[in-house]
């Protein structure tokens, strides 16, 4: 949604692509249109599948096709080379299926001839499904069922982030809105009383109420008291939901609330750094996740300074993209000193008639940053190891049990390099950047974080496991 339509085009700064060569890309995408959270299990709709497939097709045209406008150097255009691409998503109906739909647009079927295989004895095995390409999607088990969760922190598993978000429910801002909007929400009762009890119909459940009526406005031809669901009403619902979710996902004075954005920042740096250390063999990373991660990163990267629309919840199929590029050629692979990073965002389905826009990061003016500057700025808020995440979240159980024991037994040690999460070390590309900004341990453990808690996004790993289920924020619904 992002203030519904994010008129970012007029506010975004233009940029010139003179002789640029893209060597690596990281895409973080939201899922397509889905059923309502208040009627679990949520499912990707046909419309949602079309939205995400369209976005995948666009990114193919931008980065992969033989005639791509910004083709990633050396990437296969037709037959996918699995060593060049990585895709991940939580074990969730909506997010996992969205990832598959996106990949189908990114690498479509290649036909029976190009996709066929010749055996040793000369037998030709024609490709099935017209050369449909199988691309694995790595799973993040900690986000299981995230689109059925009503509480923004429901799948973050970060104790301090959950406490921080709960603190919003005691602020004057929250109490003022809860009281001032009471009559407005009560007026919606005829439309939603089949799903929500009277005590649940308030600003406290702003997002899931909006979500139910937004889904109905798209799919339901017979809404109870539909005359009440005017454009003005839906806009007010959207605006209130935007404010509610932003307040749960980010707080300037309490950055742990944005833990999902901090985790995502570490994942982006790790992935692009792998592109550098592999000499460009790892080329494209795609991750699907919840809208809360968008809001958390928007706040941490100071994107709201560029446009207040970044305070809003992104629409279905929205995407953030980080492009790693050089102003020369990629043969030989450029030095880190010759690499730059550009951030782009698109609200909603991306297509050739509605493309991503570049925005300055971290309150700066330039649309692209030198790799070293980008890394140091991301590390200002990135949680780059399991140990860091556990310490920041205050967790001492689960994956943090061994970390807590290790910290207690090695607190006098000047280095964490002997821990399992630091195997493989850090590349010179990043080490030179971090030396003046953070300790070496920041990126030594990033890969362990990606593997062990990459799905622990604070943000929007979503809402309502059942409108009538239980009390309290653990269910996202309050009586």
């Amino acid at each position: 949604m992002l203030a519904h339509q994010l008129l970012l085009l007029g506010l975004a700064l233009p940029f010139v692509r003179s002789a640029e060569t893209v060597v690596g890309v990281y895409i973080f995408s939201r899922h397509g249109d889905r059923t309502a959270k208040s009627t679990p299990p949520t499912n990707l709709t046909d419309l949602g599948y079309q939205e995400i497939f369209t976005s995948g097709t666009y990114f193919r045209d931008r980065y992969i096709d033989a005639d791509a406008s910004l083709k990633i150097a050396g990437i296969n255009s037709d037959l996918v080379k699995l060593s060049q691409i990585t895709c991940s998503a939580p074990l969730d109906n909506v997010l996992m299926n969205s990832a598959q739909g996106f990949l189908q647009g990114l690498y479509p079927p290649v036909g029976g001839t190009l996709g066929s295989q010749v055996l040793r004895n000369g037998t030709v095995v024609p490709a099935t499904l017209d050369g449909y390409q199988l691309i694995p999607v790595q799973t993040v088990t900690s986000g299981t069922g995230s689109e059925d969760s009503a509480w923004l922190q429901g799948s973050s598993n970060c104790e301090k982030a959950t406490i921080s978000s709960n603190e919003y429910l005691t602020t004057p801002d929250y109490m003022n809105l809860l009281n001032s909007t009471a009559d407005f929400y009560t007026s919606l009762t005829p439309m939603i009383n089949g799903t929500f009890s009277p005590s649940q119909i308030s600003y406290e459940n702003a997002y899931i109420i909006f979500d139910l009526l937004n889904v109905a406005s798209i799919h339901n031809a017979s809404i109870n008291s539909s005359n009440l669901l005017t454009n003005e009403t839906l806009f007010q619902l959207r605006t209130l939901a935007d404010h509610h979710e932003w307040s749960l996902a980010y707080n300037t004075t309490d950055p742990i609330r944005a833990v999902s954005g901090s985790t995502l920042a570490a994942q982006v740096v790790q992935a692009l750094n792998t592109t550098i250390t592999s000499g460009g063999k790892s080329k494209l990373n795609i991750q699907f996740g919840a809208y809360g991660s968008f809001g958390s990163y928007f706040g941490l990267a100071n994107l709201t300074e560029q446009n207040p629309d970044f305070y809003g919840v992104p629409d279905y199929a929205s995407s953030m993209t980080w492009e790693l590029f050089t102003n020369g050629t990629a043969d030989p692979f450029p030095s880190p000193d010759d690499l730059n990073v550009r951030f782009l965002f698109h609200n909603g389905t991306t297509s050739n008639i509605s493309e991503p826009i570049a925005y300055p990061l971290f309150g700066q003016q330039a649309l692209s940053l030198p790799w070293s500057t980008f890394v140091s700025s991301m590390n200002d808020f990135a949680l780059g190891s399991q140990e860091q995440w556990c310490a920041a979240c205050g967790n001492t159980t689960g994956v943090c049990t061994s970390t807590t024991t290790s910290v207690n037994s090695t607190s006098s040690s000047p280095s964490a390099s002997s821990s399992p999460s630091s195997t493989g070390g850090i590349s010179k590309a990043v080490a030179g950047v971090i030396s003046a900004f953070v300790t070496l341990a920041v990126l030594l453990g990033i890969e362990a974080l990606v593997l062990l808690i990459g799905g622990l996004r604070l943000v929007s790993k979503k809402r309502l496991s059942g409108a009538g289920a239980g009390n309290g924020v653990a269910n996202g619904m309050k009586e």
Side-chain angles (χ1 to χ4, degrees), residues 25 66 160 252 266 344:
V25 172
K160 288 186 178 180
T252 303
L344 304 98

Side-chain angles (χ1 to χ4, degrees), residues 2 10 24 66 73 90 134 137 151 177 193 201 213 241 252 268 278 323 327 348 410 415 423 427 436 459 462:
L2 270 168
L134 300 174
V137 178
W151 173 233
L177 282 169
N193 58 3
I201 301 175
L213 291 174
T252 303
V268 172
S278 69
E323 294 177 343
N327 288 318
T410 63
S415 172
T423 56
S427 75
V459 316
K462 293 8 209 184

Side-chain angles (χ1 to χ4, degrees), residues 102-115:
F102 184 95
L103 292 172
Q104 288 168 19
L106 198 68
Y107 274 101
V110 293
T113 301
L114 185 58

